[in-house]
Amino acid sequence: MVMNNDTITLPYSNSNKPIRVLFLLMVLCCSFLQAQEPSSFKWKNRLILILVSDITEDVYIKQIAELNSHIKGLNERKLLVYHIQPNRYKIGLEAYTWQQSKQLYHQYKKSQYPFEIILLGLDGGNKLQSTTFLSCKDLFDTIDAMPMRTREKQ
């Protein structure tokens, strides 16, 4: 080990190559996981969290169809959709890849109902919560009445 001013240089050897690879993988994994947390979108996006125990539930299918038919309105209001099940989640309406996680479901699931939809504002606060289908009209009316959204439209 060589120390010059504020830098430390470790001698390179094949013996610490696996350690470097492991360290790099840990950093990448932590960065990826952190970027997927709802809190990482604070002040950037409003979030719609759809918590459902089974994606074949009629209300879930109807909710996704409703959101898909209002993409322009979702984009105008900086909305990002999380699909959350007990053991996995995905982000976005067009996402096909599920990420494994139990944390999000247990963190946000507050009711005993099989379906729940939550709106998180730009500040990360809970702005709306329902255990039934939520029309985009009601969703957009709620958002459009918020002071931050009023400022965005000016």
Side-chain angles (χ1 to χ4, degrees):
M1 178 168 65
V2 178
M3 291 182 64
N4 289 341
N5 295 334
D6 294 327
T7 44
I8 300 173
T9 307
L10 295 174
Y12 180 78
S13 74
N14 285 337
S15 65
N16 61 5
K17 187 175 181 180
I19 294 171
R20 290 179 183 197
V21 171
L22 181 61
F23 178 75
L24 179 62
L25 286 173
M26 287 174 40
V27 169
L28 289 174
C29 287
C30 290
S31 297
F32 177 76
L33 290 173
Q34 186 178 29
Q36 303 308 311
E37 289 295 316
S39 61
S40 67
F41 294 102
K42 191 173 182 180
W43 304 114
K44 298 174 193 165
N45 293 95
R46 293 175 181 91
L47 303 180
I48 299 172
L49 308 180
I50 303 173
L51 298 109
V52 63
S53 54
D54 181 358
I55 60 173
T56 63
E57 290 277 341
D58 289 339
V59 67
Y60 173 77
I61 294 167
K62 183 179 177 183
Q63 188 69 64
I64 297 305
E66 173 77 357
L67 295 171
N68 273 316
S69 67
H70 292 87
I71 298 293
K72 184 179 178 190
L74 296 174
N75 291 336
E76 287 173 358
R77 291 165 182 85
K78 302 178 186 176
L79 283 163
L80 188 60
V81 178
Y82 269 75
H83 311 250
I84 305 172
Q85 288 192 275
N87 296 314
R88 63 186 189 161
Y89 72 95
K90 65 180 179 175
I91 303 171
L93 288 171
E94 297 178 3
Y96 299 104
T97 305
W98 291 89
Q99 304 296 322
Q100 298 301 311
S101 174
K102 293 179 181 180
Q103 177 189 357
L104 292 177
Y105 189 82
H106 297 292
Q107 180 179 351
Y108 290 102
K109 187 70 174 150
K110 303 298 181 205
S111 74
Q112 75 279 11
Y113 297 97
F115 174 87
E116 193 168 351
I117 186 165
I118 302 168
L119 169 65
L120 299 181
L122 289 173
D123 63 357
N126 186 331
K127 306 300 180 187
L128 178 66
Q129 194 160 349
S130 177
T131 56
T132 60
F133 172 81
L134 178 63
S135 72
C136 281
K137 181 192 179 327
D138 290 343
L139 175 64
F140 294 165
D141 287 349
T142 299
I143 293 169
D144 292 345
M146 294 177 183
M148 285 185 159
R149 175 66 181 151
T150 305
R151 285 192 295 272
E152 288 173 359
K153 293 189 298 184
Q154 293 176 349

